[in-house]
Amino acid sequence: MTDPLSEAIARVHHEEWARVVAGLARRFGDLDVAEEAAAEAFAAAVERWPRDGIPPNPGGWLVTTATRRAIDRLRRESRRDAKHEAALMLHDDTPAEPKGPVEDDRLRLVFTCCHPALAMEARVALTLRMLGGLSVADIARAFLVQKTTMAQRITRAKGKIRAASIPYRVPSAADVRERLAGVLAVLYLVFNEGYLAGAGEDPVRVDLSDEAIRLTRLLRTLLPQDREVAGLLALMLLTDARRPARFSGTGELVTLAEQDRGAWDAELVGEGLAIVRERAVVVATGGERPGRYQLLAAISAVHTGAPSAGDTDWAQVVSLYDRLLDLDPSPIVRLNRAVAVAETDGPEAGLAEVEAIADRLDGYHPLHATRADLLRRLGRAREARAAYDRAIGLTGNVAEKTYLARRRDETR
């Protein structure tokens, strides 16, 4: 079992990583320097805090330590006048004045990592690493690729930033618009990793989901008329509202159909539904067609607005997924649609939809979990247990493993 001090250090890492890295990136203008100095500072904390105790202001201690490490690195690396001068300037601890449309260091860091010179996947992966502090393995799971592939992708992204001399600077209003799609993808993946952690002892990382919601709120303040920013915020709120009901007393995952809806966060539900209704009115009165996040939020609103699982309007869910497929014909969207099809047309129809994409999502555990459930409903117990085994082997979330193992053992 983890001791209290180790838990406290891990909590500080979750809470302070983004702040430390983002502040260093603004100050030094170099993402590599910022990340490595922050990592060294956290390593020093792991070494010193068990002996000296956690300081009263752990974030300040980490920033000070990381800044010193960064200055030392710059002086060691090069004696070029520009870098030497930059290092000397860093002795000035006067906070930089906010400039431009993005005044939060962490949001600045997101927009910097989402520079259009990088491929979209590289932008998202780099920002997840820099801002969320996710491990390469976590990010690889989010992208459904091997860990080595993701490590190479992040390394190439950093190399391209250096080669192209992409600066860390406050983005202009035009930059914000140009990079918004990548930023939204980043925030959504950070939220998802927090909402159901890919690995580790904790089934959720509330710090990540809370941070994604906080940054999305800031983004909506910055771009109040943007339909997809509103959609993403609504989606996060409606999803996060279910968090209190998602795990049993023994730590097992509780599916949406089995959750106690009275335990949901009514305030978050109300806020999310209000945004969805607001966007629906805009669309109905001749506004732009809904984008991906608005449609996902609308689907979540159908689920969340139903008094019980049995009252869910599955036909509407299928219709919304049909519209989403026009924008995003990915196998994951098709998998989610298959779940709804199973409710409207029966498990056999749903299974047919799943089998049509099975080869494209063989390493994706929700595919096998969905397939297992449909096979169980069809009475094909042996095949269902094998599918459960495959899903259990692919997921790293302990609460999800427990749930899947129970369902497998109950399948006869």
Side-chain angles (χ1 to χ4, degrees):
M1 181 174 290
T2 307
D3 64 89
L5 182 61
S6 297
E7 289 179 350
I9 293 174
R11 184 171 61 252
V12 170
H13 181 274
H14 289 165
E15 293 172 353
E16 300 294 340
W17 171 267
R19 291 185 179 90
V20 173
V21 173
L24 291 171
R26 171 175 54 79
R27 196 168 185 179
F28 286 84
D30 188 311
L31 299 182
D32 242 353
V33 169
E35 181 188 1
E36 292 188 18
E40 290 180 10
F42 278 102
V46 170
E47 178 184 347
R48 298 180 192 175
W49 291 359
R51 180 184 66 237
D52 303 336
I54 296 178
N57 180 7
W61 187 97
L62 289 165
V63 169
T64 299
T65 302
T67 299
R68 289 171 179 163
R69 298 296 177 93
I71 292 172
D72 289 344
R73 172 182 165 172
L74 287 175
R75 287 174 170 163
R76 286 195 309 269
E77 274 187 351
S78 172
R79 297 193 177 277
R80 288 180 298 174
D81 291 342
K83 276 207 168 182
H84 213 60
E85 181 181 349
L88 292 173
M89 287 173 62
L90 292 171
H91 286 298
D92 182 6
D93 291 328
T94 303
E97 289 296 321
K99 298 177 181 178
V102 181
E103 297 185 356
D104 183 277
D105 275 346
R106 284 161 289 189
L107 273 175
R108 293 183 190 190
L109 182 57
V110 172
F111 278 105
T112 298
C113 291
C114 291
H115 195 281
L118 301 175
M120 180 62 74
E121 288 185 346
R123 300 179 212 176
V124 176
L126 184 60
T127 309
L128 284 171
R129 178 71 190 123
M130 298 296 296
L131 182 88
L134 274 66
S135 69
V136 174
D138 289 337
I139 304 169
R141 272 189 295 273
F143 279 96
L144 307 179
V145 300
Q146 295 296 315
K147 179 180 175 181
T148 53
T149 301
M150 184 52 62
Q152 292 168 357
R153 188 175 296 170
I154 293 173
T155 299
R156 285 196 299 268
K158 288 182 177 180
K160 187 161 187 176
I161 286 177
R162 285 192 297 270
S165 300
I166 295 173
Y168 175 85
R169 66 178 178 82
V170 178
S172 67
D175 290 334
V176 170
R177 290 291 178 186
E178 186 177 46
R179 305 178 200 178
L180 186 57
V183 171
L184 294 179
V186 166
L187 295 177
Y188 189 36
L189 284 173
V190 172
F191 176 82
N192 284 336
E193 179 60 27
Y195 190 68
L196 190 65
E201 295 182 3
D202 295 328
V204 294
R205 287 188 59 182
V206 176
D207 58 304
L208 285 181
S209 53
D210 284 351
E211 180 70 1
I213 291 173
R214 189 192 76 83
L215 290 171
T216 306
R217 287 190 187 280
L218 282 175
L219 197 58
R220 195 179 187 216
T221 299
L222 175 66
L223 302 171
Q225 302 304 316
D226 191 275
R227 55 197 178 112
E228 283 292 80
V229 172
L232 180 58
L233 179 58
L235 174 60
M236 288 181 178
L237 295 175
L238 292 172
T239 305
D240 200 52
R242 302 196 293 265
R243 187 201 306 168
R246 292 182 64 241
F247 300 96
S248 69
T250 59
E252 180 180 319
L253 181 70
V254 179
T255 62
L256 178 60
E258 299 171 325
Q259 288 174 14
D260 174 9
R261 299 187 174 216
W264 291 353
D265 188 316
E267 185 176 345
L268 292 182
V269 169
E271 184 181 359
L273 291 177
I275 295 173
V276 172
R277 285 193 293 266
E278 172 191 315
R279 294 308 311 164
V281 169
V282 171
V283 172
T285 54
E288 291 182 286
R289 294 179 60 188
R292 176 172 182 260
Y293 295 110
Q294 290 173 90
L295 289 170
L296 287 171
I299 292 167
S300 187
V302 174
H303 288 295
T304 310
S308 69
D311 294 316
T312 303
D313 187 346
W314 286 105
Q316 186 179 4
V317 173
V318 172
S319 176
L320 287 167
Y321 271 122
D322 286 339
R323 297 173 69 180
L324 184 57
L325 278 172
D326 289 338
L327 299 175
D328 179 17
S330 69
I332 291 179
V333 173
R334 291 184 63 187
L335 174 63
N336 291 329
R337 180 183 178 277
V339 174
V341 168
E343 298 299 325
T344 58
D345 300 336
E348 190 167 353
L351 182 61
E353 297 279 342
V354 170
E355 299 291 13
I357 55 172
D359 59 336
R360 299 171 63 188
L361 292 176
D362 186 56
Y364 187 54
H365 81 268
L367 177 284
H368 298 283
T370 301
R371 186 170 179 271
D373 182 65
L374 295 174
L375 287 167
R376 178 189 60 79
R377 290 165 61 182
L378 289 169
R380 295 160 61 176
R382 183 181 60 80
E383 295 172 87
R385 287 194 296 271
Y388 277 124
D389 283 337
R390 178 73 169 139
I392 291 167
L394 287 170
T395 182
N397 187 280
V398 62
E400 199 165 16
K401 279 182 180 290
T402 303
Y403 163 75
L404 292 169
R406 178 176 64 80
R407 295 308 298 263
R408 177 199 60 197
D409 295 343
E410 292 174 348
T411 300
R412 293 288 183 268

